[in-house]
Amino acid sequence: MRGEDRESGALFSYVSCEARVPGDHPLRAIRAIVDEALEVLSPEFERLYSKIGRPSIPPEKLLRALLVQAFYSVRSERQLMEQLDYNLLFRWFVGLSMDAPVWDATVFSKNRDRLIEGAIAAKFLAAVLSQTRVKTLLSDEHFSVDGTLIDAWASMKSFRPKDCPDDEGSDDTSPPTGRNAERDFRGEKRSNETHASTTDPDAKLYRKGNGQSSRLCFMGHLLMENRNALIVDAELTRAGGMAERQAALDMLDRRPSGAGARRRRITLAGDKAFDVRSFIEDLRERAVTPHIAIDGNVRVNARPRRTAIDKRTTRHPGYAVSQRVRKRIEEGFGWIKTTGNLAKTRHRGLERVGWAFTLTATACNLVRIPKLLAQT
DNA sequence: AGACCTTTATTACTTTCCCG
DNA sequence: CGGGAAAGTAATAAAGGTCT
């Protein structure tokens, strides 16, 4: 059951909490947007939570706490609760009165499944973007996509042959010596085909480029609009060569279409990894102009690679603009990884990591939106 | 009113990972 | 190795509802 109105008795102390947050504090504008979005999500929460039973911790508060965690790079959910206990600013943002006890950190784990089930992260992102003021910031015809690697919460030592996870691979000579034993991978062939991480089976071994080391990771993808470089969609997949293109198409296909209006032609910018004939065809099929960077790598036969993008596309000034703007998507990845603490996830499993990725992307937007609104 | 059921938070404990 | 930290899990307590 959703414990909604348990703070009513503590109005005074909430006010004194409120009074200590400066009127021009950046979090105030952010909270206004967050609260409006949470209001929209309210029926969803109603559906997710039981009517009876012990009152739940309001999911609105859980969500606001998780946003604060991203804003202030709080390392873990336990640390978050410790901060929330003593930090008035955090208390105010989350909506806890001064003397209200903080909840146990494990409630995040408990509620995670429920919030994932309701796809709350994606709906929250959508709810923020659909606000009338926010909409004016968004371009509805020019977009960019890109993907990045998110390190999994799994070590290489957990990467074991699928058929016998307890076996130390082909390394028969040295028996396991206690936990966290040394493992020598030299000469041992490892691939996603035959091996999987025992810690997080969804994590895949992937190498970004030649000469770089393979990591156990996921792949995070963003769809960005080009006017203010705000994130309009996020998706997390298993790492793989095709994942980036597939995720791009998925995000395009689920783009909200304007009520009644027929779908207009849009442009999509992307780096040279997207310069693949079949992908370009997929875009054209969807009435999407491919503003994709040209992959002109010189191959072994000393000939430049054949690109799927020609002058018909590149001659337009819009192509150059897209190429310039698309790089701003890195700002989003940068924030999500450094401030949002997602360079290496602490969650395990595709669903959990994906949920965190989308929520952190939303947090990234929330930091920027008030500043952008103030400029106009 | 009180036995009993459902749901969720909390507690206590386990597993896993990381790093010096 | 060993200790610290965090997530996960199972058992239990708490809160509210329903049925008789």
Side-chain angles (χ1 to χ4, degrees):
Chain A
M1 171 182 170
R2 285 175 68 198
E4 253 321 60
D5 41 23
R6 284 193 298 182
E7 70 211 35
S8 50
L11 189 61
F12 174 74
S13 41
Y14 180 71
V15 167
S16 61
C17 209
E18 163 96 22
R20 282 164 204 242
V21 179
D24 60 346
H25 195 284
L27 275 193
R28 282 197 179 268
I30 293 177
R31 208 192 132 155
I33 295 166
V34 169
D35 284 353
E36 194 181 325
L38 288 176
E39 190 62 39
V40 174
L41 287 187
S42 189
E44 296 287 337
F45 296 139
E46 217 70 60
R47 208 167 45 76
L48 248 34
Y49 283 82
S50 161
K51 211 78 190 152
I52 60 165
R54 183 172 176 168
S56 66
I57 291 167
E60 292 89 345
K61 289 182 183 169
L62 288 178
L63 231 45
R64 281 194 291 248
L66 288 170
L67 288 175
V68 166
Q69 182 184 25
F71 295 155
Y72 291 95
S73 314
V74 179
R75 153 163 55 95
S76 69
E77 284 159 1
R78 275 163 209 247
Q79 296 262 313
L80 178 63
M81 293 329 287
E82 194 180 320
Q83 285 289 316
L84 189 58
D85 204 1
Y86 298 111
N87 189 327
L88 280 182
L89 181 67
F90 283 18
R91 270 185 183 264
W92 166 79
F93 187 86
V94 171
L96 280 183
S97 63
M98 255 171 120
D99 49 0
V102 297
W103 58 84
D104 192 274
T106 58
V107 306
F108 288 109
S109 298
K110 299 285 182 285
N111 280 281
R112 196 143 20 232
D113 289 339
R114 205 182 350 239
L115 296 174
I116 289 172
E117 169 72 26
I120 292 300
K123 286 174 184 165
F124 183 52
L125 173 60
V128 168
L129 294 174
S130 64
Q131 290 178 17
T132 33
R133 284 179 309 162
V134 178
K135 262 190 194 161
T136 62
L137 300 172
L138 307 174
S139 162
D140 57 355
E141 47 187 349
H142 301 297
F143 299 90
S144 302
V145 275
D146 202 2
T148 193
L149 297 183
I150 305 284
D151 281 331
W153 188 249
S155 74
M156 288 305 294
K157 287 173 184 173
S158 72
F159 202 56
R160 304 277 173 81
K162 277 177 185 170
D163 40 357
C164 43
D166 292 331
D167 190 34
E168 291 282 304
S170 59
D171 186 14
D172 292 328
T173 46
S174 66
T177 49
R179 59 180 184 180
N180 206 0
E182 279 298 318
R183 281 194 71 195
D184 184 10
F185 298 120
R186 238 165 281 184
E188 186 181 336
K189 269 250 189 296
R190 293 165 303 159
S191 85
N192 291 316
E193 299 290 311
T194 56
H195 288 56
S197 166
T198 51
T199 310
D200 188 344
D202 286 336
K204 295 292 173 209
L205 199 60
Y206 191 76
R207 193 170 57 175
K208 196 159 194 181
N210 288 332
Q212 286 184 307
S213 62
S214 296
R215 297 141 62 183
L216 277 171
C217 58
F218 292 97
M219 218 172 224
H221 316 270
L222 293 180
L223 182 67
M224 176 190 89
E225 59 79 34
N226 285 0
R227 181 175 299 163
N228 283 303
L230 287 167
I231 297 160
V232 293
D233 203 353
E235 181 166 326
L236 188 109
T237 64
R238 294 186 181 86
M242 317 266 276
E244 233 182 343
R245 278 167 273 145
Q246 189 55 52
L249 293 178
D250 288 348
M251 290 192 288
L252 283 177
D253 288 343
R254 66 171 180 236
R255 222 163 46 84
S257 48
R262 67 189 174 83
R263 182 150 288 192
R264 293 169 55 205
R265 190 161 191 88
I266 63 169
T267 71
L268 183 75
D271 61 29
K272 59 186 167 69
F274 292 96
D275 182 8
V276 173
R277 195 156 300 271
S278 65
F279 179 72
I280 303 297
E281 280 167 16
D282 287 334
L283 288 186
R284 294 223 155 95
E285 231 167 70
R286 289 166 170 79
V288 176
T289 307
H291 282 181
I292 304 297
I294 290 170
D295 183 357
N297 266 351
V298 177
R299 292 294 146 96
V300 274
N301 58 8
R303 274 231 191 81
R305 185 180 172 281
R306 251 183 93 177
T307 173
I309 300 291
D310 56 36
K311 280 272 171 54
R312 284 172 300 180
T313 305
T314 59
R315 67 183 168 173
H316 298 285
Y319 178 82
V321 174
S322 282
Q323 285 307 303
R324 184 165 41 80
V325 176
R326 75 172 168 83
K327 299 186 179 82
R328 294 194 64 192
I329 206 165
E330 298 301 336
E331 299 168 18
F333 284 133
W335 193 94
I336 288 170
K337 286 186 174 188
T338 55
T339 309
N341 259 335
L342 264 187
K344 185 183 183 84
T345 178
R346 288 172 186 280
H347 301 299
R348 283 178 249 171
L350 188 69
E351 285 189 319
R352 291 198 190 92
V353 180
W355 198 85
F357 182 70
T358 305
L359 189 74
T360 310
T362 312
C364 178
N365 271 354
L366 283 169
V367 171
R368 298 191 51 234
I369 287 171
K371 294 175 191 167
L372 293 169
L373 285 173
Q375 283 170 18
T376 52

